[in-house]
Amino acid sequence: MSTNDVDVLVVGAGFAGLYSVHRAHNEGWSVVGIDAAPEVGGTWYWNRYPGARCDVESMDYSYSFDEELQSEWRWSERYATQPEILSYIQHVADRFDLRRHYQFETRVTQARFDETASRWVVRTDTGKEYRARFLFLATGSLSAPKIPDIAGFEDFEGEVYMTSSWPATDPDVSGKRVGVIGTGSSGIQCIPILAEQAEQLTVFQRSANFSVPAFNRPVDDDEWEQALADYPERRRLSWAGGAGSPHVSHPGDPLAMNDEERRQVLEEWWQRGGVLFGKTFANQLVDRKINDFARDYAVERIRAIVQDPTVADDLVPTDHPIGTKRICTDSGYFETFNRDNVELVNLRRDPIEMITPWGIQTAQGAHKLDVLVLATGFDAMTGALTRIDIEGPRGDRIADTWGNGPLTYLGMGIPGFPNMFSLSGAGSPSVLANMVLTGEQQVNWLVDLIHYCDEHGHTEVEARLDAAKAWGDHLDEVASATLFVDANSWYMGANIEGKTRGFMPYLGGFATYGALCDEARDQGYAGFVLGS
Ligand code: N01
């Protein structure tokens, strides 16, 4: 068994992981990155299902740390496709020569803290072992797929594909009967395309979701030139914003508007597309009455598209305020249900009894399938970490520490686990903000922290339990003042049976979070135990 001893070991080659490696190397630290995939990309490597596309505009969903990088990469569409985002990440890896630091096709299986040397000992599934002063877990919030526990699954004799690990070569589904389980963002993006390719498509929907058209379009040269000129201001607004993007809500009070005025605003924000509709009014996710204005408008749009009123009834979400599950961003989703070759099965009325060798048997019918697509989501925010066997110096195990929900200080430090940090995950704005900028902000902050430790002779830095508990209380307090806690969402851990419920990301806003991190730094990192 060979051993590598480095300053920083980064798990993950997505946005946060690559930037960690880049920063660590530039600071003159030895660094190694590890990723299970054969290539950089993180979530954008794995989620290559047809129609995969980001729901944050490309101009914003890209690194801000290098002016030249920012201006030399030309995005072709308002919302980039998965292949274009993956090409961008590959370009970044090449441009900054990051691949040479990585071990690909390697999964981290175990990490133990060696107290005598203040080093993490990290083991992998290839047998290779590493030692590192600092462990950065850039493992992704949506990277541990959830495989549904449905009787008979193993017996299915057709092809099975998961949106979260779609084959590199697109399977040919033409002339085939395809079934899709799951109608979250992934299902809603691939369903229209699979419907065009397949002979017959059956959508098995347990929960209807709100989806707003992306109104995607190519970016022409004039628009691009203007966008480049506006970039500094766009970035300034993003760093100062609640979600790491330059967009804001309408300044008016919807309760003081008449129906026509409100409608005009809703129409305008609808046309902005996708998740942006979720922030039409400032208090939309706090005040039920305001939420209902947006909700009623979205329902009206669904009913205007779907021709069969019974199918439309089934496609209207009834179990959560709009936006409390991530609003999906689609291209032709509801229109798909007007096609002759598409059938919607409402699992709340007609539940799956079992998967059989030939397809899916529901309470009311037999659905013969050649292909089964699982768009069933993830063990979000905690799954990627708790699936690694991590043990701290006093015997704390991450699966236990996070057994009742993720416990973090500022979303990065975890009590019981010195010199180990979580990135773009639970306890930080992460999935509610721009993941690329969140990664930059956290990595920059951690680099400062490591410098501080070095300058003051601290070889160990560990989040204090009381600081983490106070941070958790703050998270709960902020979340419980919103409507988010009313939804059975993956934000709440509600999509995984037995998972403790609690709102996992930080809802206080991206800029506020950054300011709180800076305040902690300026106070000498009082939320950490610093020692040697
Ligand atoms: O996963 P999901 P996702 N039987 O958890 C259903 C990001 N993302 O991969 O709600 C039947 O949202 C489940 O039903 P229910 C984005 O943040 C972004 O689609 O549990 N159905 C649900 O319908 C997003 O929120 C982009 O009742 C079962 C679906 O599977 C997040 O990733 C694109 C089931 C899972 O939906 C996750 O999205 C894609 C069962 N046993 C993803 N188990 C963009 O940027 C689960 N389901 C656009």
Side-chain angles (χ1 to χ4, degrees):
M1 200 178 270
S2 68
T3 301
N4 280 330
D5 202 328
V6 290
D7 291 312
V8 182
L9 187 145
V10 178
V11 189
F15 276 108
L18 284 174
Y19 185 60
S20 302
V21 167
H22 174 62
R23 278 295 323 255
H25 177 68
N26 278 3
E27 297 309 301
W29 301 329
S30 53
V31 57
V32 67
I34 297 180
D35 199 291
E39 175 51 305
V40 296
T43 201
W44 296 104
Y45 173 83
W46 296 106
N47 290 270
R48 50 177 73 211
Y49 57 84
R53 193 184 280 283
C54 191
D55 60 0
V56 178
E57 286 171 280
S58 320
M59 293 286 296
D60 304 317
Y61 196 76
S62 52
Y63 288 116
S64 73
F65 69 87
D66 187 285
E67 288 287 336
E68 275 181 31
L69 168 67
Q70 184 166 276
S71 52
E72 78 193 5
W73 183 266
R74 166 74 159 89
W75 292 105
S76 68
E77 292 177 84
R78 182 175 176 222
Y79 292 104
T81 58
Q82 175 271 333
E84 190 168 6
I85 300 172
L86 187 58
S87 299
Y88 169 76
I89 299 173
Q90 289 168 338
H91 167 74
V92 172
D94 291 339
R95 194 183 192 286
F96 298 101
D97 199 11
L98 302 177
R99 279 193 181 84
R100 72 192 159 110
H101 301 290
Y102 270 94
Q103 289 293 315
F104 292 108
E105 295 184 274
T106 303
R107 189 174 284 282
V108 170
T109 53
Q110 192 192 67
R112 294 280 183 273
F113 194 72
D114 172 1
E115 242 188 316
T116 54
S118 294
R119 268 174 164 61
W120 282 99
V121 180
V122 175
R123 299 205 170 86
T124 65
D125 64 353
T126 63
K128 213 162 175 180
E129 185 176 301
Y130 299 85
R131 297 171 70 80
R133 285 172 64 207
F134 294 98
L135 181 57
F136 281 21
L137 298 167
T139 41
S141 283
L142 296 157
S143 55
K146 174 195 164 185
I147 299 172
D149 183 17
I150 303 176
F153 180 57
E154 299 301 324
D155 300 332
F156 182 62
E157 286 173 357
E159 301 158 58
V160 179
Y161 303 108
M162 294 191 74
T163 48
S164 54
S165 53
W166 199 260
T169 307
D170 241 353
D172 180 8
V173 300
S174 55
K176 294 180 182 167
R177 296 161 302 182
V178 178
V180 178
I181 301 181
T183 50
S185 297
S186 305
I188 279 176
Q189 285 190 327
C190 69
I191 282 166
I193 295 178
L194 292 173
E196 281 169 15
Q197 298 169 348
E199 182 183 302
Q200 168 71 30
L201 182 78
T202 309
V203 177
F204 297 90
Q205 172 197 276
R206 191 165 66 184
S207 305
N209 254 315
F210 288 104
S211 187
V212 178
F215 298 112
N216 186 41
R217 57 168 192 278
V219 177
D220 68 26
D221 287 344
D222 289 345
E223 189 181 354
W224 182 250
E225 286 309 314
Q226 186 58 48
L228 281 180
D230 294 343
Y231 231 140
E233 178 61 3
R234 188 171 183 126
R235 290 295 196 191
R236 191 191 65 74
L237 291 170
S238 297
W239 282 102
S245 75
H247 305 287
V248 291
S249 302
H250 187 275
D253 174 5
L255 297 170
M257 295 175 188
N258 64 34
D259 287 351
E260 200 184 319
E261 286 164 343
R262 251 193 322 264
R263 205 180 163 76
Q264 251 177 23
V265 177
L266 288 162
E267 172 67 22
E268 191 188 329
W269 258 258
W270 183 269
Q271 294 298 331
R272 292 181 183 198
V275 289
L276 298 179
F277 184 69
K279 52 167 74 176
T280 307
F281 298 116
N283 276 342
Q284 192 168 311
L285 288 159
V286 174
D287 184 319
R288 192 67 189 234
K289 197 164 177 201
I290 298 175
N291 190 276
D292 280 346
F293 294 141
R295 192 204 131 71
D296 291 349
Y297 184 83
V299 169
E300 195 185 310
R301 301 300 297 232
I302 298 172
R303 293 195 187 283
I305 296 171
V306 181
Q307 288 156 3
D308 181 333
T310 318
V311 177
D313 280 347
D314 285 340
L315 287 167
V316 168
T318 52
D319 60 359
H320 63 282
I322 187 168
T324 54
K325 286 182 169 184
R326 191 171 182 90
I327 293 184
C328 304
T329 302
D330 73 275
S331 300
Y333 176 64
F334 292 112
E335 289 82 347
T336 301
F337 294 92
N338 295 332
R339 295 175 66 103
D340 291 337
N341 70 333
V342 174
E343 183 191 1
L344 179 68
V345 178
N346 181 340
L347 298 180
R348 296 222 175 158
R349 238 191 359 250
D350 182 13
I352 293 177
E353 287 187 336
M354 65 185 303
I355 297 180
T356 69
W358 44 261
I360 292 183
Q361 177 68 50
T362 61
Q364 293 170 25
H367 304 273
K368 295 201 169 145
L369 302 172
D370 305 304
V371 178
L372 179 56
V373 174
L374 299 178
T376 42
F378 301 88
D379 182 357
M381 311 219 74
T382 57
L385 253 72
T386 55
R387 288 175 193 196
I388 305 174
D389 174 15
I390 305 176
E391 190 178 311
R394 297 181 299 282
D396 300 270
R397 300 179 93 97
I398 193 72
D400 299 331
T401 303
W402 281 18
N404 285 322
L407 178 69
T408 74
Y409 173 55
L410 295 174
M412 292 181 275
I414 306 172
F417 302 89
N419 296 10
M420 182 185 102
F421 304 101
S422 161
L423 285 166
S424 302
S428 77
S430 57
V431 291
L432 297 173
N434 178 336
M435 290 292 262
V436 189
L437 297 192
T438 300
E440 287 186 22
Q441 180 265 336
Q442 289 190 325
V443 172
N444 292 340
W445 193 86
L446 289 172
V447 167
D448 286 349
L449 173 63
I450 294 176
H451 278 308
Y452 182 89
C453 290
D454 288 349
E455 283 157 17
H456 293 80
H458 302 304
T459 53
E460 288 184 21
V461 47
E462 179 184 334
R464 297 170 65 105
L465 184 59
D466 58 346
K469 283 187 173 160
W471 182 246
D473 290 346
H474 176 55
L475 250 68
D476 289 346
E477 190 191 346
V478 176
S480 58
T482 72
L483 301 173
F484 276 96
V485 290
D486 295 347
N488 287 325
S489 64
W490 58 258
Y491 298 136
M492 293 287 292
N495 67 327
I496 302 292
E497 212 178 313
K499 193 164 172 173
T500 304
R501 298 219 177 177
F503 198 81
M504 294 185 282
Y506 177 55
L507 253 172
F510 176 65
T512 307
Y513 171 77
L516 290 172
C517 290
D518 290 349
E519 194 179 299
R521 178 200 59 207
D522 297 343
Q523 290 171 356
Y525 303 103
F528 288 95
V529 179
L530 298 155
S532 49

